[in-house]
Amino acid sequence: MNFWHKAKAFIIKDFIIETSYKVSFVIQMFGSILPLVSFFFVGKLVEEGSSETLAKYGGEYFPFALIGIAFTRYFQLAVTTFSDSMRRAQMAGCLESILSSQTNPKAIVLNSALYSFLSAAVQLILIFVVGSLFLGFSFENINVFATLVTFIVSVLAFISFGMFAAAGTIIFKKGEPFGFVFSHLSAILGGAYFPITLMPNWLETISYVFPIYYALDALRLTILQGYSLTMIAQDLYIICGMTLIFFPLSLYFFEWAVEKGKREGTLIQY
């Protein structure tokens, strides 16, 4: 009960802060759908069935890109939101007091991202609603259960890298490397906007290192082609394997970073 009370308090606090900037709140919500228009018209340049690289996902570019845009935004948030909350606390000069409170530092950093995940979920739904109502995106083949399982498993994997990014922010302050690698770089190399088979062989090989490739591949197949969990089992095994390895490591690394900052007195620096 104590955990849920604290989680609720974090959500309410962040909601009050976010909605106090009303114009920014509205722009953020509706700004998420603007890239869809660009990719919709880019998709017009690719004739249906003309690309062998898209045949696996139904042959159309726009549905391929829409799923990439929508879920990549969410996965990027899972990586960056923890480090962003730590950075805001650094700039406000309250990181040391927050991490030195009676609440476990890991619980603090996880709770600090709850509102961001809820807000991003609303944006994710908004993207698909607009794509479905106005841009011709279809859910007729979707396997709902397999899609939800894949989404949840994938988010857990990216939370692991988000904890690494939060620890990096505590150690390096500005310019931590984990968020860049597992958010922006992985989006390009992981096939968020185009099939990785279009890239040179050496870049395609690097793409298999990033969990976003397996997450997007599985989500596209369950949404566009109706694949079951059995049919995407290989992608899920890889994602789960990465989560089992990196999630406990990320928690340990974050705790180590906090203790290091306390010993060296660097938590007050920004």
Side-chain angles (χ1 to χ4, degrees):
M1 289 301 297
N2 188 40
F3 171 80
W4 291 113
H5 284 310
K6 291 181 179 180
K8 179 181 177 182
F10 269 94
I11 293 173
I12 294 175
K13 181 262 296 182
D14 291 332
F15 177 75
I16 292 174
I17 293 174
E18 188 74 17
T19 54
S20 66
Y21 303 97
K22 295 180 175 58
V23 175
S24 175
F25 180 77
V26 173
I27 291 175
Q28 182 180 5
M29 281 295 173
F30 288 96
S32 61
I33 66 175
L34 293 180
L36 296 184
V37 179
S38 298
F39 282 95
F40 174 76
F41 288 109
V42 169
K44 295 294 186 181
L45 299 175
V46 183
E47 295 183 8
E48 183 178 352
S50 63
S51 175
E52 295 181 0
T53 59
L54 296 174
K56 178 181 178 181
Y57 309 106
E60 295 185 57
Y61 175 72
F62 177 65
F64 174 92
L66 186 146
I67 293 173
I69 295 169
F71 287 106
T72 296
R73 286 174 60 93
Y74 202 94
F75 295 150
Q76 286 178 331
L77 171 87
V79 175
T80 60
T81 187
F82 302 108
S83 59
D84 288 345
S85 65
M86 294 296 99
R87 184 61 182 162
R88 286 194 297 269
Q90 282 180 339
M91 298 297 291
C94 59
L95 180 62
E96 183 179 29
S97 59
I98 291 175
L99 295 181
S100 300
S101 65
Q102 294 182 351
T103 302
N104 189 296
K106 295 188 291 289
I108 291 175
V109 72
L110 290 172
N111 284 333
S112 67
L114 289 178
Y115 173 77
S116 295
F117 279 108
L118 293 175
S119 176
V122 173
Q123 296 180 46
L124 180 68
I125 294 171
L126 182 62
I127 288 174
F128 280 108
V129 169
V130 172
S132 178
L133 293 179
F134 303 106
L135 301 176
F137 184 84
S138 175
F139 287 101
E140 62 181 7
N141 295 325
I142 187 173
N143 185 320
V144 176
F145 178 72
T147 299
L148 289 176
V149 171
T150 303
F151 176 66
I152 293 171
V153 170
S154 300
V155 170
L156 290 176
F158 284 94
I159 287 176
S160 302
F161 300 111
M163 293 297 290
F164 277 115
T169 298
I170 294 175
I171 296 172
F172 301 109
K173 313 306 184 231
K174 187 176 181 181
E176 62 83 20
F178 300 102
F180 173 77
V181 172
F182 292 105
S183 176
H184 303 292
L185 185 61
S186 68
I188 297 174
L189 297 180
Y193 311 113
F194 52 83
I196 65 170
T197 52
L198 297 177
M199 297 188 295
N201 291 336
W202 64 276
L203 273 180
E204 183 179 347
T205 302
I206 294 176
S207 298
Y208 297 129
V209 175
F210 296 101
I212 194 171
Y213 165 73
Y214 304 99
L216 292 178
D217 182 61
L219 287 166
R220 283 168 174 142
L221 292 173
T222 59
I223 295 174
L224 300 177
Q225 300 291 79
Y227 276 32
S228 65
L229 290 178
T230 304
M231 299 170 75
I232 59 169
Q234 183 177 353
D235 286 333
L236 292 181
Y237 287 148
I238 294 174
I239 297 171
C240 289
M242 289 182 176
T243 303
L244 290 174
I245 294 172
F246 290 112
F247 191 73
L249 284 177
S250 68
L251 293 178
Y252 173 80
F253 185 56
F254 178 79
E255 190 170 13
W256 173 81
V258 171
E259 292 302 319
K260 180 177 183 295
K262 289 179 179 179
R263 289 195 308 269
E264 298 178 356
T266 58
L267 292 179
I268 60 174
Q269 299 175 357
Y270 61 91

